[in-house]
Amino acid sequence: MGHRKVHAPRHGSLAYLPRKRAKNPEARIRYWPEIKSDSPKLLGFAAYKAGMTYIFTIEDKKRSPHFGKEVMKAVTVLETPPIIICGFKTYMKTPYGLQNISEVWMKNPPVILNRALILPENFDTDAMLEKVEKNLDQTIAIRVVTATQPSQTGLAKKKPEISEIQIGGGNIQQQFEYAKKLLGKTITLEEVFKEGQYIDVAGITVGKGYQGPVKRWGVTKLQHKGRKTKRGIATLGPWNPHHLMYSVARAGQMGYHQRIEYNKRIMKIGKDGKEATVKGGFIRYGEVKGSYVIIEGSVPGTEKRQLRLRVPARPPTDAIDASPQVTYISIESTQGK
């Protein structure tokens, strides 16, 4: 028999190149969706990943074969301490993207902010507000500057993460009034999201270090009797073009990349972390002390990592606008204790 030519699709997506380490352990959100709402509201929040467990819930998806029955689902527990609204920034549209016009900061920022930023002795908040109001006709986006409060969690860290969250809904004037009202206050997750809602979760994935092409790209292992290599690729490419093409699977950094997972459903929002903390605490995290959120399925990143939650960019067409009925949250030890 003659040699049969084997065809195979390419291995690994080229959509995420370059596969190098993320610049920061905190994810960046580059797109904020527009929402249909008469009153303004925040489009995101920040959380810390504690770990995974499972719950029992009544299936409420009508097209599911288990509709109305009690089903078990894997879930992720995130700790969500209130965030501080330290200030807000206004942006105008230019041919090169959004450009910052001005910003407003609260009069007496909390002491923990000094761990993350070098702050002046005092802010002239009134003068800043005047400048913003004067340029309101050019403004197309207002984003609040938020600081997390890791000291209220089970984490052994004090330095807050500083990030921007866009305000959506209403018109620019209403958004400006809303931002003024929030200045210097703390916001809880319940004020931004509700149970049963779908959200997008952005985070930095677990780092796996330097890996070969089989693990990194999923290429086929060569036959075991082959010469020289088994967990490599058969050829680096054709004679022409003379250079090595970027699409060839090579060894290198794997993991610690930024990723966004779309449409993760909020199963429960709670205030007492003991309700969702497994016996002996979550591995590498410990106990969830304060408010928490339970999200269906898994999310990117390792324990303790900060995650950014956002209103969905492409919500499902058959989204259920009702709170899930959670009948049981497993707090059995994940270590078999």
Side-chain angles (χ1 to χ4, degrees), residues 26 30 37 94 110 144 151 177 276 313:
E26 291 93 43
R30 297 174 174 85
S37 170
T94 73
V144 294
S151 55
E177 296 301 327

PDB file of all heavy atoms in Angstrom, residues 26 30 37 94 110 144 151 177 276 313:
ATOM      1  N   GLU A  26      -3.842  42.536  37.382  1.00  0.00           N
ATOM      2  CA  GLU A  26      -5.238  43.002  37.304  1.00  0.00           C
ATOM      3  C   GLU A  26      -5.636  43.139  35.832  1.00  0.00           C
ATOM      4  O   GLU A  26      -4.899  43.723  35.032  1.00  0.00           O
ATOM      5  CB  GLU A  26      -5.419  44.362  37.991  1.00  0.00           C
ATOM      6  CG  GLU A  26      -5.276  44.321  39.493  1.00  0.00           C
ATOM      7  CD  GLU A  26      -3.856  44.616  39.943  1.00  0.00           C
ATOM      8  OE1 GLU A  26      -3.240  45.540  39.392  1.00  0.00           O
ATOM      9  OE2 GLU A  26      -3.371  43.899  40.836  1.00  0.00           O
ATOM     10  N   ARG A  30     -11.376  46.897  28.142  1.00  0.00           N
ATOM     11  CA  ARG A  30     -11.198  47.858  27.057  1.00  0.00           C
ATOM     12  C   ARG A  30     -12.529  48.280  26.436  1.00  0.00           C
ATOM     13  O   ARG A  30     -12.569  49.156  25.587  1.00  0.00           O
ATOM     14  CB  ARG A  30     -10.313  47.258  25.961  1.00  0.00           C
ATOM     15  CG  ARG A  30      -8.899  46.945  26.435  1.00  0.00           C
ATOM     16  CD  ARG A  30      -8.147  46.211  25.323  1.00  0.00           C
ATOM     17  NE  ARG A  30      -6.753  46.010  25.639  1.00  0.00           N
ATOM     18  CZ  ARG A  30      -6.285  44.988  26.348  1.00  0.00           C
ATOM     19  NH1 ARG A  30      -7.111  44.092  26.838  1.00  0.00           N
ATOM     20  NH2 ARG A  30      -4.996  44.865  26.577  1.00  0.00           N
ATOM     21  N   SER A  37     -31.186  52.272  30.033  1.00  0.00           N
ATOM     22  CA  SER A  37     -31.673  52.581  31.375  1.00  0.00           C
ATOM     23  C   SER A  37     -31.923  54.088  31.470  1.00  0.00           C
ATOM     24  O   SER A  37     -31.129  54.884  30.967  1.00  0.00           O
ATOM     25  CB  SER A  37     -30.640  52.151  32.417  1.00  0.00           C
ATOM     26  OG  SER A  37     -30.974  52.622  33.682  1.00  0.00           O
ATOM     27  N   THR A  94     -12.011  61.511  20.100  1.00  0.00           N
ATOM     28  CA  THR A  94     -11.047  62.071  19.148  1.00  0.00           C
ATOM     29  C   THR A  94     -10.846  61.039  18.037  1.00  0.00           C
ATOM     30  O   THR A  94     -11.245  59.882  18.185  1.00  0.00           O
ATOM     31  CB  THR A  94      -9.683  62.363  19.820  1.00  0.00           C
ATOM     32  OG1 THR A  94      -9.027  61.110  20.073  1.00  0.00           O
ATOM     33  CG2 THR A  94      -9.844  63.130  21.113  1.00  0.00           C
ATOM     34  N   PRO A 110      -9.059  58.173  51.510  1.00  0.00           N
ATOM     35  CA  PRO A 110      -8.690  57.272  52.611  1.00  0.00           C
ATOM     36  C   PRO A 110      -7.179  57.024  52.647  1.00  0.00           C
ATOM     37  O   PRO A 110      -6.502  57.115  51.619  1.00  0.00           O
ATOM     38  CB  PRO A 110      -9.446  55.974  52.291  1.00  0.00           C
ATOM     39  CG  PRO A 110      -9.788  56.072  50.839  1.00  0.00           C
ATOM     40  CD  PRO A 110      -9.925  57.521  50.514  1.00  0.00           C
ATOM     41  N   VAL A 144     -15.811  56.321  36.906  1.00  0.00           N
ATOM     42  CA  VAL A 144     -15.424  56.553  38.302  1.00  0.00           C
ATOM     43  C   VAL A 144     -14.106  55.836  38.589  1.00  0.00           C
ATOM     44  O   VAL A 144     -13.829  54.771  38.031  1.00  0.00           O
ATOM     45  CB  VAL A 144     -16.518  56.084  39.300  1.00  0.00           C
ATOM     46  CG1 VAL A 144     -17.766  56.920  39.153  1.00  0.00           C
ATOM     47  CG2 VAL A 144     -16.836  54.610  39.147  1.00  0.00           C
ATOM     48  N   SER A 151      -8.321  44.762  52.868  1.00  0.00           N
ATOM     49  CA  SER A 151      -8.213  44.546  54.320  1.00  0.00           C
ATOM     50  C   SER A 151      -9.509  43.989  54.908  1.00  0.00           C
ATOM     51  O   SER A 151      -9.518  43.440  56.000  1.00  0.00           O
ATOM     52  CB  SER A 151      -7.849  45.856  55.023  1.00  0.00           C
ATOM     53  OG  SER A 151      -8.785  46.865  54.687  1.00  0.00           O
ATOM     54  N   GLU A 177     -24.244  64.114  37.528  1.00  0.00           N
ATOM     55  CA  GLU A 177     -24.885  64.279  38.836  1.00  0.00           C
ATOM     56  C   GLU A 177     -24.722  63.006  39.671  1.00  0.00           C
ATOM     57  O   GLU A 177     -24.485  63.061  40.886  1.00  0.00           O
ATOM     58  CB  GLU A 177     -26.383  64.600  38.681  1.00  0.00           C
ATOM     59  CG  GLU A 177     -26.685  65.933  37.990  1.00  0.00           C
ATOM     60  CD  GLU A 177     -26.099  67.139  38.717  1.00  0.00           C
ATOM     61  OE1 GLU A 177     -26.015  67.102  39.961  1.00  0.00           O
ATOM     62  OE2 GLU A 177     -25.713  68.116  38.034  1.00  0.00           O
ATOM     63  N   ALA A 276     -20.849  30.435  52.684  1.00  0.00           N
ATOM     64  CA  ALA A 276     -20.266  29.861  51.469  1.00  0.00           C
ATOM     65  C   ALA A 276     -18.830  29.390  51.654  1.00  0.00           C
ATOM     66  O   ALA A 276     -18.197  28.957  50.694  1.00  0.00           O
ATOM     67  CB  ALA A 276     -20.317  30.886  50.344  1.00  0.00           C
ATOM     68  N   ALA A 313     -21.437  42.104  27.610  1.00  0.00           N
ATOM     69  CA  ALA A 313     -21.255  42.786  26.323  1.00  0.00           C
ATOM     70  C   ALA A 313     -22.167  42.188  25.263  1.00  0.00           C
ATOM     71  O   ALA A 313     -22.605  42.865  24.348  1.00  0.00           O
ATOM     72  CB  ALA A 313     -19.798  42.679  25.872  1.00  0.00           C
TER      73      ALA A 313
END
